[in-house]
Amino acid sequence: MNIITEVVQKGWCVGCGMCAAVCPKERLEIRWNPRGEYSPIEVEGCADCSKNCQICYKVCPAHGNTPDETEIGKKLYGKAEGVQYKSETGYYLSSYVGYSKEHRATGASGGMASWTLEALLASGKVEAVATVGRTKDPDKLFEFRICHSVEEIRASGRSAYYPVEVSQVMQYILNNEGRYAVIGLPCVCKAIRLAQDIFPKLKRRIPYVLGLTCGHQCSKFFAEYICALGGGDPHELREMIFRTKDLTQPASNLGFLFHSGCGSNEIFKQVLWRDGVGEAFANGFFQIPGCFYCDDVFAECADIAFMDAWLPEYKKQPEGHSIILIRNTEADELIGNEACGSGKLKLSEISIKRVMQSQLNVINQKQSLLFDKKDSLSLRYYLYKKPMILQSRIRRIHFEISDKSSIAWNFHKKNLVEFNKDNDLLELSTKLSKYKKYQKIIRLPMRISGRIQRACLRI
Ligand SMILES: Cc1cc2nc3c(=O)[nH]c(=O)nc-3n(C[C@H](O)[C@H](O)[C@H](O)COP(=O)(O)OP(=O)(O)OC[C@H]3O[C@@H](n4cnc5c(N)ncnc54)[C@H](O)[C@@H]3O)c2cc1C
């Protein structure tokens, strides 16, 4: 058995694909598992792998036997002049809120990630960038790809709440000279940093790693579920655009546009976050199990982290605002200069406290993990706080829901009506809403005092 199989069997794998990219003997392939997630599969000849190189294991971000995000961040950014550190956010030099005037309409939030990728390309700091774009393949609606032009970068805007993996693009970068920027979720950024330590070529060729703040990733069933919610046939889902913007809605009511079927069954339709998508996402439906072991919210190994400005003054505005947290000195200069000058960006500085407030729910969830030490090799979250019992129970139910929802989706053959009547899921959902009610009551005094404090600040 290959050593990476143990990571998969324990449920820690996030399907990032780095193991398959770097296997010197090409003995791993990334394929769909029955839960609609990516998983490394051993191809012939892995029998004695574990005794030999173990490179797949050394670049895997999902177990605790490699340097964690704090150590990696310290090595990368800890010595920069003016750098600061918080356990919740990792290292940072500066933080901004705002948007790119040209990229906002086609961006997930303020379009700052696309603007930055374009700026890196246009300034010659890189020759190509690896982004995630939509495909025409119904079996794989999104994929990582190498973009050489501004047009390609613009076509890859918005977020993919859909599994994507880096095996092909990393192999491309390993085989092709050049300077590349790569954008990824926190797990991918960590995997790149681990791989850069082993392959100097990757260190030279990827001078910029950009990260997306992440609550969690979903299996491909999530896209099918959205399609079914909108009345489409999930067996015939052909395209999905996550995070369309409806200018009659606040930014927080995200749009999801799907295309399913053909001929008389063809449907193009937008479903909104509040049509049931948000509830499913927040309750852990189809969540990748490995995400339950990750406590990196702000992509701590990335040169810049991009996120939504989930703050009261921004989330009501339908066009969207980005928050960016910068760790790399060159990126800080690039964005700082542009922010002051060209008129293409509308950015203002924002305090780290506000950045954290914008992700409060995610911080609470990801950095107050319930898993006991024996459940996971990753122990970093014990640096933070011990979760309250109720919070732990809620997290445990999310975990069970993520498991049961995948099983039920398959069992009921993607039939939404039958899925909604699934006994196990109904029982878990009832338990979850009961615990959430208790949590609201417990948190009421805190919420009231927070409101009073905010009101006093405004006076
Ligand atoms: C699974 C997931 C969970 C997220 N969770 C949160 C959260 O909890 N809180 C929060 O504030 N923000 C979260 N984000 C980030 C948020 O959705 C936006 O991506 C971010 O605000 C950047 O917006 P933008 O307008 O600047 O980016 P855009 O200009 O739209 O550019 C986005 C860039 O990210 C790339 N991309 C999209 N999806 C992926 C992916 N899956 N993997 C790698 N690259 C990708 C695109 O190719 C594009 O280049 C999440 C994103 C994803 C994909």
Side-chain angles (χ1 to χ4, degrees):
M1 183 172 81
N2 184 292
I3 190 156
I4 210 71
T5 311
E6 186 195 321
V7 177
V8 177
Q9 283 176 352
K10 297 219 155 125
W12 299 333
C13 177
V14 286
C16 73
M18 188 59 90
C19 52
V22 298
C23 173
K25 303 213 163 135
E26 297 183 10
R27 283 174 177 170
L28 292 170
E29 267 179 28
I30 303 295
R31 300 211 192 127
W32 291 118
N33 70 18
R35 299 168 50 107
E37 299 150 1
Y38 278 134
S39 225
I41 302 284
E42 290 177 17
V43 290
E44 267 173 66
C46 281
D48 59 357
C49 261
S50 56
K51 283 183 230 125
N52 300 323
C53 81
Q54 301 198 357
I55 289 179
C56 53
Y57 194 72
K58 290 177 191 157
V59 300
C60 172
H63 60 77
N65 287 333
T66 51
D68 65 25
E69 293 83 347
T70 313
E71 278 175 81
I72 298 172
K74 188 173 182 187
K75 204 163 125 196
L76 289 166
Y77 313 112
K79 292 201 177 112
E81 204 186 319
V83 78
Q84 299 185 66
Y85 175 80
K86 278 203 168 294
S87 57
E88 293 88 343
T89 61
Y91 289 86
Y92 63 95
L93 289 168
S94 56
S95 41
Y96 293 93
V97 61
Y99 54 88
S100 155
K101 291 177 189 166
E102 275 181 68
H103 301 86
R104 190 186 202 187
T106 50
S109 45
M112 280 305 299
S114 297
W115 179 86
T116 309
L117 291 166
E118 265 185 51
L120 291 173
L121 192 70
S123 62
K125 289 186 188 296
V126 297
E127 287 136 31
V129 308
T131 64
V132 167
R134 280 180 286 131
T135 75
K136 295 273 176 214
D137 177 358
D139 189 47
K140 181 171 83 165
L141 296 179
F142 292 84
E143 67 181 8
F144 262 99
R145 58 177 58 142
I146 303 284
C147 305
H148 291 93
S149 70
V150 164
E151 291 71 30
E152 287 171 300
I153 296 174
R154 290 200 183 185
S156 341
R158 300 198 166 97
S159 304
Y161 301 114
Y162 191 92
V164 285
E165 55 88 15
V166 294
S167 62
Q168 311 267 315
V169 288
M170 283 300 145
Q171 273 166 6
Y172 181 93
I173 295 173
L174 280 166
N175 294 331
N176 291 277
E177 194 62 63
R179 285 165 64 81
Y180 302 83
V182 183
I183 188 156
L185 295 178
C187 47
V188 166
C189 299
K190 182 179 176 191
I192 294 174
R193 296 311 191 186
L194 294 171
Q196 283 183 324
D197 268 352
I198 298 172
F199 299 91
K201 220 197 251 185
L202 277 185
K203 200 169 206 158
R204 263 195 334 271
R205 290 184 187 173
I206 309 182
Y208 294 97
V209 175
L210 307 187
L212 300 174
T213 286
C214 180
H216 67 257
Q217 182 56 294
C218 306
S219 77
K220 71 193 289 198
F221 293 172
F222 184 57
E224 295 170 356
Y225 177 78
I226 294 173
C227 168
L229 274 181
D233 180 352
H235 297 279
E236 301 222 4
L237 175 61
R238 292 164 62 181
E239 271 182 284
M240 171 67 77
I241 306 181
F242 293 100
R243 304 215 35 179
T244 48
K245 289 174 183 172
D246 181 333
L247 297 184
T248 64
Q249 297 293 322
S252 51
N253 198 10
L254 317 175
F256 302 87
L257 185 69
F258 72 86
H259 174 198
S260 70
C262 54
S264 57
N265 292 328
E266 190 168 29
I267 303 186
F268 287 92
K269 194 168 166 190
Q270 178 172 262
V271 182
L272 294 173
W273 181 256
R274 291 185 194 151
D275 292 335
V277 180
E279 196 186 342
F281 186 84
N283 289 351
F285 276 40
F286 314 118
Q287 178 168 343
I288 304 246
C291 296
F292 282 93
Y293 300 92
C294 168
D295 62 359
D296 183 355
V297 175
F298 294 95
E300 293 177 40
C301 306
D303 297 315
I304 312 178
F306 299 87
M307 68 206 84
D308 290 278
W310 295 140
L311 292 167
E313 63 271 42
Y314 301 113
K315 68 180 176 192
K316 287 197 187 117
Q317 299 178 40
E319 298 88 351
H321 284 79
S322 304
I323 291 181
I324 55 179
L325 194 59
I326 306 178
R327 306 190 172 94
N328 168 308
T329 317
E330 277 183 49
D332 195 30
E333 267 170 36
L334 181 83
I335 291 176
N337 289 342
E338 197 70 36
C340 301
S342 80
K344 289 183 179 166
L345 302 183
K346 180 131 181 29
L347 284 186
S348 47
E349 286 181 32
I350 183 169
S351 72
I352 196 71
K353 203 170 152 198
R354 301 286 286 147
V355 175
M356 280 161 52
Q357 271 170 4
S358 79
Q359 305 299 323
L360 209 55
N361 285 341
V362 184
I363 294 176
N364 278 338
Q365 279 201 0
K366 282 183 90 168
Q367 298 189 349
S368 313
L369 297 184
L370 71 152
F371 296 99
D372 210 332
K373 285 186 187 183
K374 65 182 182 316
D375 283 338
S376 167
L377 282 173
S378 173
L379 305 178
R380 197 176 74 123
Y381 40 84
Y382 283 88
L383 294 174
Y384 304 107
K385 51 192 173 187
K386 260 263 185 235
M388 303 200 335
I389 292 172
L390 189 57
Q391 211 172 335
S392 296
R393 292 233 168 112
I394 290 176
R395 192 77 174 150
R396 175 61 70 181
I397 300 173
H398 283 157
F399 185 70
E400 285 172 28
I401 288 182
S402 90
D403 187 43
K404 286 280 177 324
S405 57
S406 299
I407 295 170
W409 191 245
N410 271 332
F411 182 77
H412 298 295
K413 300 191 169 54
K414 308 184 199 295
N415 179 317
L416 185 65
V417 178
E418 295 303 319
F419 177 80
N420 283 340
K421 288 195 279 192
D422 186 272
N423 276 338
D424 289 348
L425 266 183
L426 281 175
E427 208 176 290
L428 284 168
S429 300
T430 314
K431 215 169 169 189
L432 184 64
S433 45
K434 195 171 78 185
Y435 284 146
K436 281 191 172 170
K437 254 186 216 151
Y438 295 157
Q439 197 179 43
K440 261 194 180 158
I441 296 169
I442 291 172
R443 286 186 176 165
L444 192 63
M446 258 157 44
R447 280 178 31 216
I448 294 173
S449 85
R451 280 205 184 149
I452 295 172
Q453 273 176 23
R454 281 198 294 276
C456 291
L457 281 175
R458 277 199 291 268
I459 291 169

